[in-house]
Amino acid sequence: SSIHLFHVPFSLQIHNLPIGFKAQEVGQSIGNFVGKFLEYNDRNNTHIYHPFIHIRVLLDVRKSLKKSKKIRKPGGESNEVLFKFKRLGKFCYLCGILGHLDDSYGKLLMMGEDDGTHQ
């Protein structure tokens, strides 16, 4: 009960990669952007038209999840790659943090505009 579990490994799919960006070095770089890179799936390059690469990352569950990242191709053109996490469990789409659902924000969402007075 005294061990803190703040870092958890997760599977991550990286979508919308430009052609030629499925190398392990790219997966490792993006994995370290999201959390801490753990593993690259060697089957990522089995077919040129495979829509994503799959990696494993170690995430700090106290921080909000990253949803995307812009990467730049040689020559200046940039692409936004999208992240899809597998088997997240409880996840809040409002704040992006694991461990609770967005239904706990019901009162906050029901509130009108803040008039500046507090009771």
Side-chain angles (χ1 to χ4, degrees):
S1 66
S2 63
I3 298 174
H4 299 287
L5 298 175
F6 296 131
H7 296 87
V8 179
F10 281 100
S11 294
L12 173 66
Q13 293 178 350
I14 305 169
H15 290 261
N16 203 28
L17 281 165
I19 294 174
F21 275 68
K22 291 186 180 180
Q24 182 170 346
E25 293 79 17
V26 174
Q28 186 171 357
S29 175
I30 292 174
N32 285 326
F33 168 77
V34 173
K36 182 177 187 252
F37 173 79
L38 294 176
E39 182 181 358
Y40 177 84
N41 187 337
D42 288 331
R43 289 186 258 161
N44 289 325
N45 290 324
T46 56
H47 196 277
I48 191 168
Y49 297 112
H50 194 69
F52 60 85
I53 65 171
H54 178 253
I55 62 173
R56 296 211 17 104
V57 293
L58 190 65
L59 297 178
D60 185 341
V61 296
R62 299 169 293 178
K63 297 180 180 178
S64 61
L65 297 177
K66 294 179 170 64
K67 298 174 187 173
S68 64
K69 176 179 175 49
K70 284 193 176 186
I71 59 172
R72 187 171 305 278
K73 294 182 191 179
E77 187 180 333
S78 66
N79 260 30
E80 183 174 24
V81 295
L82 307 173
F83 308 137
K84 291 186 180 179
F85 294 89
K86 308 268 290 180
R87 297 182 202 104
L88 282 180
K90 288 184 178 181
F91 174 70
C92 177
Y93 287 95
L94 291 175
C95 70
I97 295 180
L98 296 166
H100 66 273
L101 300 173
D102 54 2
D103 61 359
S104 61
Y105 292 100
K107 284 185 179 178
L108 178 66
L109 295 175
M110 301 279 292
M111 289 175 49
E113 214 174 293
D114 186 6
D115 62 0
T117 61
H118 302 283
Q119 297 180 3

